Amino acid sequence: MKLKTLILSILGGSMMLTACSGPGEGRPLEDIKNASTTDSISNLLGQMYAIDYWKDIAGDSVKATREARDQYLSGVRDALKLSGKDESYIEGYLLGLQLSQYSREFTNLMGVDIDLNETLKGLAYGLRTDSTVNYQQVSADLNLLTTRFANQKDEKDRAEGEKNLAAFAKKEGMTKYSEDLYGKILSQGTGKELKEGENVSFDIVISDDTGKKLNIPVPKDVTVGPQLSKAPIGRALMQLKEGGAGEFATSAFAVFGANAGRYKVTPEQTLVMNITLKGISQKAAEAEKSEPKVQPAETTAN
């Protein structure tokens, strides 16, 4: 991005102000008649930023919509109107946008509303002199308060998640394995039970409690061990035999903790996992076959 920022600086404000008339559907470079060097660089630079946008939203179906992209363009257009403003003003403006976005994220994460007017007052106080604020003290106080709120929210989310999960499991006729895991075996399977140290492969589909499939990255091969048993998915796998299948339910908090919002679910929401245990993975089997056999040492009689 540094190179792009430098190019923007070289091109100057005239190009940016022209862009504020509205991009519509835009245009490729070849549609510009008698394009100057500035036209070419400007258009191609915009296309490069478009590439970055698609990279940044990979897997986010909401931001990929036409509506979201129009909102994104609108925001860029409004920001470009700042061209020619004092550099300090622009930096402050950008911080304001960051604070606004951060406050929403903080509220979702902690369950505490941020008063941005009070934030502005705290900022103004801290800007009186470079020694007005004691960093160590403010950092310690802020950490203490946020940790307290985070713990309170975690306990609330855990309790609500387990309550919703129990109600869902009762309705679906599921067996209780733990406070945060219920399930029912759909197919017993004919293979062996899993043992520690085995590398197993499985198929899994995760949905929310309405049946909507979720795009959540989950490994398809795992090694049975203490770490696996700590996660709801791992404990669900341990209920199956090789070739077996089951439907399990857990809470989003049990899987993601406070980060549930990143996966478009709320912490107290119930998640449904349909799992088929395929068995020992091919990779593990091949490793076992290729392991050199140690021959016992020959002994000679004296």
Side-chain angles (χ1 to χ4, degrees):
M1 284 297 188
K2 291 183 178 179
L3 176 60
K4 296 174 188 174
T5 303
L6 177 62
I7 294 176
L8 277 176
S9 177
I10 292 173
L11 292 178
S14 59
M15 178 201 75
M16 291 189 281
L17 289 174
T18 301
C20 293
S21 60
E25 285 295 315
R27 61 180 176 181
L29 180 58
E30 55 266 25
D31 282 0
I32 304 177
K33 294 181 180 180
N34 302 317
S36 66
T37 300
T38 297
D39 290 335
S40 300
I41 293 176
S42 303
N43 186 277
L44 293 174
L45 181 63
Q47 293 186 46
M48 286 297 293
Y49 273 104
I51 293 172
D52 286 347
Y53 178 84
W54 289 113
K55 287 181 179 178
D56 291 341
I57 69 162
D60 191 330
S61 58
V62 174
K63 289 186 177 180
T65 63
R66 180 71 260 183
E67 181 181 4
R69 284 178 278 146
D70 286 342
Q71 287 294 319
Y72 179 79
L73 276 171
S74 180
V76 173
R77 184 173 63 247
D78 289 345
L80 292 180
K81 294 176 183 177
L82 295 176
S83 176
K85 293 281 189 180
D86 182 84
E87 184 176 346
S88 294
Y89 172 87
I90 294 177
E91 291 177 355
Y93 183 90
L94 293 176
L95 176 60
L97 292 177
Q98 291 173 10
L99 285 172
S100 179
Q101 184 177 27
Y102 176 76
S103 70
R104 292 197 300 270
E105 294 175 352
F106 189 89
T107 298
N108 292 334
L109 190 64
M110 299 289 189
V112 180
D113 290 328
I114 297 294
D115 185 340
L116 290 176
N117 287 327
E118 195 58 47
T119 300
L120 188 60
K121 292 177 181 177
L123 176 63
Y125 169 73
L127 290 176
R128 290 182 182 180
T129 70
D130 62 359
S131 58
T132 299
V133 174
N134 182 318
Y135 171 78
Q136 298 294 339
Q137 186 62 52
V138 170
S139 179
D141 290 345
L142 186 60
N143 184 62
L144 177 65
L145 290 171
T146 53
T147 299
R148 181 190 305 167
F149 276 112
N151 290 338
Q152 291 174 353
K153 188 172 187 300
D154 281 353
E155 287 305 313
K156 179 183 177 182
D157 289 341
R158 180 183 290 106
E160 289 188 9
E162 291 177 357
K163 178 182 177 181
N164 294 338
L165 175 60
F168 178 87
K170 181 178 180 180
K171 182 180 67 173
E172 297 296 323
M174 293 182 168
T175 300
K176 181 179 180 180
Y177 300 115
S178 65
E179 292 297 331
D180 60 5
L181 181 67
Y182 293 74
K184 55 186 175 182
I185 306 302
L186 303 177
S187 173
Q188 288 291 343
T190 57
K192 60 182 181 180
E193 295 182 352
L194 300 183
K195 296 181 181 179
E196 187 166 335
E198 287 183 331
N199 191 24
V200 297
S201 60
F202 60 97
D203 289 329
I204 181 170
V205 176
I206 302 179
S207 308
D208 64 17
D209 49 358
T210 68
K212 179 183 177 182
K213 293 182 181 180
L214 303 177
N215 184 21
I216 297 174
V218 179
K220 296 300 181 71
D221 294 90
V222 294
T223 301
V224 180
Q227 285 298 115
L228 186 66
S229 62
K230 293 179 181 179
I233 294 177
R235 283 183 275 124
L237 277 170
M238 297 300 293
Q239 309 305 320
L240 299 172
K241 292 182 179 180
E242 185 177 2
E247 183 176 75
F248 303 90
T250 185
S251 71
F253 181 83
V255 179
F256 305 118
N259 297 316
R262 297 180 183 177
Y263 299 93
K264 313 301 181 185
V265 292
T266 56
E268 70 278 6
Q269 196 167 358
T270 297
L271 301 183
V272 180
M273 305 178 292
N274 281 279
I275 303 175
T276 300
L277 180 56
K278 296 163 66 176
I280 299 175
S281 70
Q282 189 65 28
K283 182 178 179 181
E286 288 177 355
E288 186 177 344
K289 289 179 182 178
S290 62
E291 185 176 345
K293 303 294 183 181
V294 179
Q295 300 294 333
E298 293 184 4
T299 57
T300 55
N302 291 329

